[in-house]
Amino acid sequence: MKRIFLLLTFMLSFMQLKADEGMWLLTMIKRLNGVDLKKEGLKLTAEEIYSVNNSSLKDAIVQFGGGCTAEMVSKEGLLFTNHHCGYGNIAALSTPEKDHLTNGFWAMKKSEELPAQGLSVRFLVRMDDVSKRINAKLNNNMSADDRKNIIDAEYKAIQTENSENGKYTVVVRDFYNGNEFYYFVYQDFKDVRLVGTPPNSLGKFGGDTDNWEWPRHTVDFSVFRVYADANGNPAEYAATNVPMKPKHALPISLRGYKPGDFTMIIGFPGRTNRFLPSFGIEQMVNKDYPAWVEASKVAMDVMKKYMDKDQATKLDYASQYAGVANYWKNRQGTIDAVEKNQTIAEKRALEAKFQTWALLPENESAYGSVLQDLKTNYSQFSDRNVERNYSSQLQRNAKYINIAYQLGSLLKTYADQDDAAKVVMKPKVVAAIDRIYEKLNVKLEGEMLNSMVNLYQQRVNKSVGSPTLLAVDAKNLSNVAFSSIFATKESAMNFVNNPNRLAIDADPLLKLANGFVEDQKLTTEKYAKIDEAFAKNNRVFLDGLRKSQPETSFYPDANSTMRITTGSITTLPERSDRNYAGIKEKDNYYTDITGMVAKYKKGDEEFDLPQRFLDLVKKKDFGQYKDKKGFMPVNFLSNNDITGGNSGSPVLDGEGRLLGLAFDGNSEALSGDIIFDPKLQRTISVDVRMVLWTIEKYGNAGHLISEMTLVK
């Protein structure tokens, strides 16, 4: 009965969803006050979008690998996501002899599909609001520890109540800085196999140069299939598994689009900070992000030096490099966009209005000082935050520290066992060593350790820095690593075969790793009270901000839970520093295949194209995928509100049919995680017709098209 009531509430309010700004939980739509989406072009009922008891659009959308979105496109478990979302799995399945990342891959039958080790997809079963339940036990006067203990206990109870003895994964998340709480019931499928991918030259066409820029010409997609056991339930990989049958698979539109056409995107956006105060933005763009950018660039330079020398290293580090490069450009773009778009000034104006309300007699005791308190918090941990950014990039890229810390604990335990126990434990230890060193370039990692620690020593304030890292000779750290038990697979295996507890206790790399981790823990303890106050002040500020504007519908920040955003096909103001390759201003909402060929540079790492692709374009055999205007579409623009995590999300028309796959934002609005700019913020997507043409014509994998429902 409760489920029916929730659905009815949803249906009564759905048609008032406001277009463009906001990434909304489906069950939050009842809060909105906006335009009538039927007039905007929506033709679906609320139940066709979200239903607990019946199949709906939500059942076709999955979280892919924990950091992207994908959509089911056939009743045989076939899914589409971005090429860059599948990038790490494609690279892991590649070798210099069978280089799927460089050459592409197409399975001509299901038995040729490649199991992607460690990859899973997550289906949302249902969600519900438990704010009243949890908030009834909380108040702003209790200690941070008491608050945490109550919340943790409620989380655990809610998970137990809804997991059905482990059948489902239950996640409880806080929203609005801890003012509301929702739980999400998921089903995770762990047998996912690579079906097809275009070569890197198509899937990543434009490289770092075109990343975050418009116009784009990137064929950013990959194809996977989800498998289940014979009963349709999630299962670990097994040759006997069968393609899972989703409750809903998206029909695919070949009709195209025009400016003003309704669009909606459903996906799993990762993280936004739309309620960040002005001084938080100042900290971010003046201190935190510059540290991130600099450390990322140092790491990228080290990786590229060795990747350019060796194809195996290029494949082994391809995913890591791509991830670092993507956020390197994003962070720098955010710094530039915040300054150009006067984001801080806008925030200050909003805060001035809030402060006027907060100082009213009836509000002052609860909210009068909260902004000043937040400003004080930022000044208190400013240097610590800078250290965190250099530290995070060091830990992400200097693998020797993590290897020594994680493997060191395991080897110590192994060394302490008696002979009989060692025999039992040895296979586990050997498996861990095989996994850790499988794709490790020792020389690269030695130089990475030197470079990242040296940068840390130069940039981090000594009052907040790790004493262990600040004291070492950064120029000689590679020698320390190379003389360590953890230097190579061979040296680690030598220890396994000749365990010596005294030797591992004295290992200099392990001492460095353990000292660094211990320093991090002590810093966390040192700032615990400030962090507690900061969390409370953030919660109180957002509570007051919402109360100060009762006429405004506040959407929650993204936090990797399923959201819906609506908008329309639109253009983007042209820039003098962009090559529009003959696109007319009125048509600046799409790019076509001739523009892609116009960017072609033979032998260029970012703009080369396969000869087969060029030959197909020359023949102009675009079949049913050509637009009615005569062009072959590649990418297009809409004004939907997305962020990282939405990569791979379906762009849908008003009838829930797939138009394309979202894969990027635009550099003009890289401040979008902080503030939404309706004039500039855009979603860049790959046209599904380009996806299908590439599968059928380039990949000769037309059998996959036959699984799908095409709407002409």
Side-chain angles (χ1 to χ4, degrees):
M1 188 69 184
K2 182 179 181 182
R3 292 182 181 180
I4 296 173
F5 173 76
L6 287 171
L7 177 59
L8 179 62
T9 305
F10 175 83
M11 293 175 68
L12 290 173
S13 59
F14 182 77
M15 296 310 167
Q16 295 301 311
L17 173 61
K18 183 179 179 182
D20 306 339
E21 182 176 358
M23 305 170 202
W24 294 89
L25 283 170
L26 298 185
T27 52
M28 285 185 174
I29 294 174
K30 60 183 177 289
R31 303 180 181 191
L32 307 185
N33 296 302
V35 297
D36 187 336
L37 287 186
K38 283 206 171 215
K39 293 180 181 178
E40 296 292 306
L42 179 64
K43 296 181 173 62
L44 298 178
T45 65
E47 189 172 6
E48 289 174 310
I49 295 174
Y50 176 85
S51 174
V52 174
N53 303 315
N54 301 302
S55 66
S56 58
L57 278 184
K58 80 163 173 62
D59 298 311
I61 319 301
V62 298
Q63 189 172 40
F64 181 87
C68 281
T69 302
E71 51 277 347
M72 309 306 297
V73 294
S74 90
K75 290 295 185 179
E76 291 294 305
L78 206 64
L79 66 77
F80 286 164
T81 190
N82 287 154
H83 179 267
H84 76 261
C85 292
Y87 196 85
N89 300 106
I90 299 165
L93 290 166
S94 297
T95 64
E97 295 74 31
K98 293 184 178 181
D99 191 346
H100 306 315
L101 194 65
T102 301
N103 303 321
F105 169 80
W106 304 98
M108 294 302 154
K109 50 189 177 182
K110 291 185 177 70
S111 61
E112 295 178 356
E113 296 171 359
L114 303 177
Q117 186 176 3
L119 176 61
S120 64
V121 298
R122 169 167 283 184
F123 288 83
L124 175 66
V125 178
R126 67 180 185 276
M127 63 181 111
D128 203 355
D129 184 355
V130 286
S131 300
K132 290 182 179 179
R133 169 177 174 170
I134 295 177
N135 282 328
K137 299 183 177 182
L138 303 174
N139 63 71
N140 284 331
N141 295 320
M142 63 177 46
S143 70
D145 285 342
D146 287 345
R147 179 183 177 87
K148 182 180 184 302
N149 290 337
I150 290 170
I151 291 174
D152 287 348
E154 288 300 311
Y155 279 18
K156 186 175 181 179
I158 291 166
Q159 289 165 346
T160 300
E161 293 162 13
N162 292 280
S163 70
E164 295 189 19
N165 295 317
K167 179 180 179 181
Y168 299 117
T169 300
V170 182
V171 178
V172 191
R173 292 285 178 87
D174 72 272
F175 293 78
Y176 302 105
N177 293 346
N179 284 291
E180 294 186 17
F181 302 87
Y182 286 73
Y183 75 82
F184 303 82
V185 179
Y186 298 110
Q187 193 165 35
D188 297 333
F189 285 78
K190 298 179 180 180
D191 185 352
V192 185
R193 306 180 193 180
L194 176 64
V195 176
T197 175
N200 202 40
S201 53
L202 297 181
K204 202 180 176 186
F205 184 79
D208 292 333
T209 298
D210 275 4
N211 194 18
W212 303 102
E213 305 297 348
W214 179 261
R216 291 292 293 274
H217 301 82
T218 304
V219 193
D220 196 349
F221 82 96
S222 55
V223 188
F224 290 78
R225 193 185 303 277
V226 185
Y227 281 77
D229 67 17
N231 298 315
N233 296 315
E236 299 289 342
Y237 168 79
T240 54
N241 285 348
V242 297
M244 69 90 64
K245 299 186 181 300
K247 293 180 181 178
H248 183 70
L250 298 178
I252 298 173
S253 174
L254 301 183
R255 295 181 181 179
Y257 40 77
K258 62 183 184 302
D261 282 357
F262 176 84
T263 55
M264 61 181 168
I265 294 176
I266 303 176
F268 290 83
R271 178 64 61 184
T272 54
N273 289 288
R274 294 275 172 84
F275 306 111
L276 200 65
S278 59
F279 21 88
I281 299 174
E282 288 175 318
Q283 171 72 26
M284 177 184 289
V285 300
N286 294 331
K287 295 185 177 182
D288 295 350
Y289 278 9
W292 182 297
V293 168
E294 184 180 31
S296 297
K297 186 62 169 61
V298 169
M300 288 163 57
D301 288 345
V302 174
M303 282 187 278
K304 194 166 193 318
K305 173 181 174 180
Y306 290 89
M307 291 168 71
D308 287 346
K309 294 178 181 179
D310 177 61
Q311 183 64 12
T313 300
K314 188 173 185 178
L315 289 172
D316 292 343
Y317 285 80
S319 181
Q320 180 181 341
Y321 183 90
V324 175
N326 184 54
Y327 278 100
W328 164 71
K329 189 166 185 178
N330 172 281
R331 298 299 191 249
Q332 183 58 58
T334 300
I335 295 168
D336 298 338
V338 165
E339 181 177 346
K340 183 177 180 181
N341 299 341
Q342 298 183 318
T343 304
I344 293 174
E346 287 189 40
K347 286 286 186 177
R348 285 174 177 162
L350 175 67
E351 288 161 8
K353 292 181 180 179
F354 168 81
Q355 193 62 17
T356 298
W357 173 88
L359 291 176
L360 293 174
E362 62 271 26
N363 304 322
E364 187 172 9
S365 62
Y367 307 104
S369 66
V370 68
L371 270 177
Q372 182 57 49
D373 292 341
L374 276 172
K375 187 175 183 179
T376 299
N377 292 152
Y378 276 104
S379 67
Q380 290 171 323
F381 54 54
S382 178
D383 288 339
R384 189 276 310 266
N385 278 16
V386 172
E387 188 277 338
R388 277 184 171 179
N389 280 273
Y390 284 110
S391 175
S392 69
Q393 289 306 303
L394 189 155
Q395 293 176 71
R396 177 176 184 174
N397 294 293
K399 294 180 183 175
Y400 267 136
I401 288 180
N402 285 327
I403 289 172
Y405 183 73
Q406 295 173 9
L407 189 56
S409 177
L410 183 63
L411 293 186
K412 279 186 177 182
T413 302
Y414 174 77
D416 288 339
Q417 306 300 308
D418 60 31
D419 289 344
K422 282 188 178 74
V423 171
V424 174
M425 187 177 179
K426 187 173 181 178
K428 175 185 176 182
V429 177
V430 172
I433 290 172
D434 286 342
R435 184 186 71 253
I436 288 170
Y437 292 96
E438 181 183 8
K439 296 184 176 182
L440 193 78
N441 185 306
V442 171
K443 290 184 179 180
L444 185 159
E445 293 301 336
E447 185 168 339
M448 183 72 77
L449 186 61
N450 280 3
S451 299
M452 298 303 287
V453 174
N454 182 56
L455 180 66
Y456 183 96
Q457 291 178 343
Q458 292 180 35
R459 297 289 188 265
V460 171
N461 190 306
K462 289 181 173 54
S463 66
V464 296
S466 159
T468 301
L469 290 189
L470 293 175
V472 299
D473 181 359
K475 294 180 181 179
N476 292 316
L477 273 179
S478 58
N479 293 330
V480 171
F482 297 155
S483 64
S484 168
I485 291 168
F486 308 97
T488 63
K489 178 180 178 179
E490 290 71 25
S491 60
M493 281 303 303
N494 183 59
F495 179 86
V496 173
N497 294 324
N498 302 280
N500 183 328
R501 180 57 192 261
L502 293 177
I504 200 169
D505 285 342
D507 189 273
L509 186 59
L510 182 57
K511 286 183 175 181
L512 176 73
N514 286 341
F516 175 53
V517 171
E518 186 60 30
D519 293 343
Q520 296 286 303
K521 291 178 181 177
L522 291 174
T523 299
T524 299
E525 293 171 5
K526 177 181 176 181
Y527 283 88
K529 294 298 182 183
I530 298 173
D531 289 338
E532 289 173 9
F534 178 65
K536 177 180 178 180
N537 290 331
N538 265 316
R539 185 173 66 251
V540 171
F541 169 61
L542 189 47
D543 177 52
L545 186 65
R546 294 166 74 192
K547 289 176 179 176
S548 72
Q549 300 180 45
E551 74 287 351
T552 301
S553 295
F554 284 82
Y555 52 85
D557 271 321
N559 62 357
S560 295
T561 53
M562 185 181 283
R563 306 296 179 93
I564 183 171
T565 168
T566 66
S568 60
I569 301 294
T570 189
T571 61
L572 183 66
E574 293 190 3
R575 290 169 50 173
S576 60
D577 62 339
R578 295 283 177 266
N579 178 10
Y580 290 87
I583 299 173
K584 296 178 181 178
E585 186 174 356
K586 66 181 179 65
D587 291 331
N588 188 28
Y589 61 93
Y590 70 87
T591 58
D592 69 9
I593 208 164
T594 60
M596 188 172 183
V597 174
K599 288 183 174 181
Y600 164 60
K601 297 177 184 177
K602 186 175 182 179
D604 187 283
E605 186 176 7
E606 295 184 320
F607 293 98
D608 201 358
L609 287 169
Q611 188 59 49
R612 173 171 171 75
F613 179 86
L614 295 169
D615 292 342
L616 286 168
V617 175
K618 188 174 182 179
K619 290 179 182 178
K620 297 184 179 179
D621 179 14
F622 302 126
Q624 64 181 331
Y625 308 118
K626 182 172 64 176
D627 189 85
K628 59 186 177 183
K629 288 185 177 181
F631 65 89
M632 184 63 214
V634 180
N635 298 155
F636 65 92
L637 288 173
S638 65
N639 59 4
N640 296 86
D641 188 5
I642 68 167
T643 189
N646 272 121
S647 290
S649 294
V651 184
L652 305 166
D653 66 11
E655 296 181 64
R657 299 171 304 204
L658 185 62
L659 296 175
L661 283 64
F663 70 85
D664 213 350
N666 56 305
S667 61
E668 295 90 341
L670 278 175
S671 56
D673 283 354
I674 304 167
I675 190 168
F676 182 84
D677 186 339
K679 294 180 181 178
L680 293 176
Q681 192 147 336
R682 299 290 183 268
T683 293
I684 306 174
S685 305
V686 59
D687 194 301
V688 74
R689 293 170 292 178
M690 185 64 182
V691 171
L692 299 183
W693 179 82
T694 304
I695 293 172
E696 180 180 338
K697 300 293 184 179
Y698 183 87
N700 287 324
H703 61 286
L704 298 176
I705 308 295
S706 65
E707 292 188 32
M708 307 172 199
T709 301
L710 306 185
V711 180
K712 300 179 181 180

